[in-house]
Amino acid sequence: MNTVIDSKNISNSQSTVLTIYAHADDELLSVAGTMLLMSQAGWRIHCLFLTSSGQVNSDIKDTNSQETETIEKLIGANNQFFDFEEGNLSKQAAIKVIEQAVQRLQPDLIITHSPQSEKYGHADYEITSIAVSHVAYRQKISLWYSAPSGFLREFEPNFFVDISSTIDQKVATVGSYDSESDKTFLQLDSILVSSRLWARELGYKDGYFEAFHLSRHCTDISFFNAWANIKTVNKESTTAPIIKPKILTIHAHGDDEVLPSAGTLFLMAQAGWQVHCIVLTDGNHSSSPIKGLRHKEAVEAGKLIGSTYEFYSLDENKFTAQEVIKVAEELIVSWRPEIVITHAPQSERYGHRDHEVCSTGVSNAATRKRVSLWYSAPPVFMRGFVPNLFVDISSVIQKKISAIQCYESESEKSFMQLDAIINLSRFWAREVGRLHNGYFEAYQIDRQCVGANFFSALVKR
């Protein structure tokens, strides 16, 4: 079935996801559960397949078309096929049709093959992934890579979707592809095993998940409102307690939390999150001659961004990863945060020794305690930092500046200067396509888990 989409009928008010795969069955094992969740939440779903089976056998092509129509109804998707030759896909030709589809559909999100080398998968997968990535990055569109159907080499998932509520529908959808039923990865056992694999990796004794590598995602306050809406219960009740979602930041020194994240934390506080910042050291080895001054400065910054603070006295320049693990585990157990933010895992040669040790310890604790983990941008050198989430803080840039300026004892440092703050925020804005205006903060999501309500909360109304 070759569905032609008329751009005149496309509404920008509805959230749209575009999946782009080489072959008609490629998306089933990896994303069918997520697509079902998105469809149920009100997303518009379009599936683009670059090849058909027409070059092999016209009967197979007709069968695939009928099967795809059935799946289209099950998932609620619109499908479009192109007749590029299977096994001989051209990158430039693929880029051209993908650009046309993106211009027509204006998707909020694109999902495609993981950029896995040919030795671990089909040659068409690699070409498709390269072509889609090229377009998504040039057009500044959010991009997710789905898990490979076979070998998982080179695939590093950082975003997990709980599909337990749609696993039966996923199985039924995959079962509709009778013509491909002999493929091992489309067997019932393979579907369940792969979905359980990700659940086990996350530490769940039951349930089913799909895994993605979030390569690039750009968002604003709606991203945090989504979680707040999911977590908060009985908003209209006068007796039941309101449960706020929690975010925990753990950094080595006072000011490490506001430099990369003040705008985001303030947006989260506005959205109803409970924000709690942890400072591991007392700052007595810093440039400040007054003991405890940085704690006072941190508290003042917290008042501006809506955050509470907690201070530890680990020995600056000497504390160990084991000490950090112990602190982080205790905090995660007591606070039960949805997200933990810490330093990016950058080697000491590019940053402060304490940042690296803090990152190692927090990452260990967050992973074992099954908590979503974000890395904040380093203050100076960006080596090794690969951001994949960009938060629009344009509406609160002055609040960020004011919070950073609370740290008067650190004001002589070059990265604390107003010009440096503005330039870095503009740098991230330019990376997401805001060439002439706007301010952003950047993060590297290492691990994020979402459920069915996530897509409902994010859908445009």
Side-chain angles (χ1 to χ4, degrees), residues 140 216 360:
K140 317 300 183 186
R216 170 198 182 91
T360 300

Side-chain angles (χ1 to χ4, degrees), residues 57 102 106 115 120 227 295 433:
N57 187 306
V102 166
Q106 302 175 41
Y120 294 126
W227 265 290
H295 285 188

Side-chain angles (χ1 to χ4, degrees), residues 6 26 62 88 125 141 179 190 316:
D6 185 352
D26 290 339
D62 291 340
N88 193 29
Y125 298 171
I141 301 170
S179 64
S190 295
E316 194 167 352

Side-chain angles (χ1 to χ4, degrees), residues 162-224:
D162 186 345
I163 63 162
S164 301
S165 64
T166 59
I167 186 63
D168 291 338
Q169 291 171 277
K170 174 174 179 171
V171 170
T173 301
V174 176
S176 299
Y177 255 112
D178 291 332
S179 64
E180 307 293 326
S181 60
D182 59 332
K183 292 184 177 179
T184 57
F185 60 83
L186 290 178
Q187 303 296 316
L188 174 61
D189 180 67
S190 295
I191 299 167
L192 297 179
V193 166
S194 63
S195 300
R196 283 292 301 133
L197 169 71
W198 303 122
R200 288 175 61 85
E201 178 167 314
L202 296 168
Y204 291 95
K205 295 180 180 179
D206 51 24
Y208 300 91
F209 282 75
E210 287 176 343
F212 300 87
H213 178 83
L214 190 149
S215 178
R216 170 198 182 91
H217 200 94
C218 184
T219 191
D220 53 23
I221 193 171
S222 64
F223 195 69
F224 309 114

Side-chain angles (χ1 to χ4, degrees), residues 1-6 24 46-52 61-62 64-66 68-69 72 77-84 97 100-101 104:
M1 182 180 183
N2 191 353
T3 303
V4 179
I5 311 299
D6 185 352
H46 293 278
C47 302
L48 189 153
F49 305 105
L50 297 182
T51 68
S52 69
K61 182 175 181 179
D62 291 340
N64 282 350
S65 178
Q66 294 170 5
T68 305
E69 285 188 38
E72 183 178 277
N78 296 299
N79 297 323
Q80 182 174 7
F81 285 89
F82 292 91
D83 287 329
F84 292 115
V97 298
Q100 292 171 349
R104 216 168 43 235

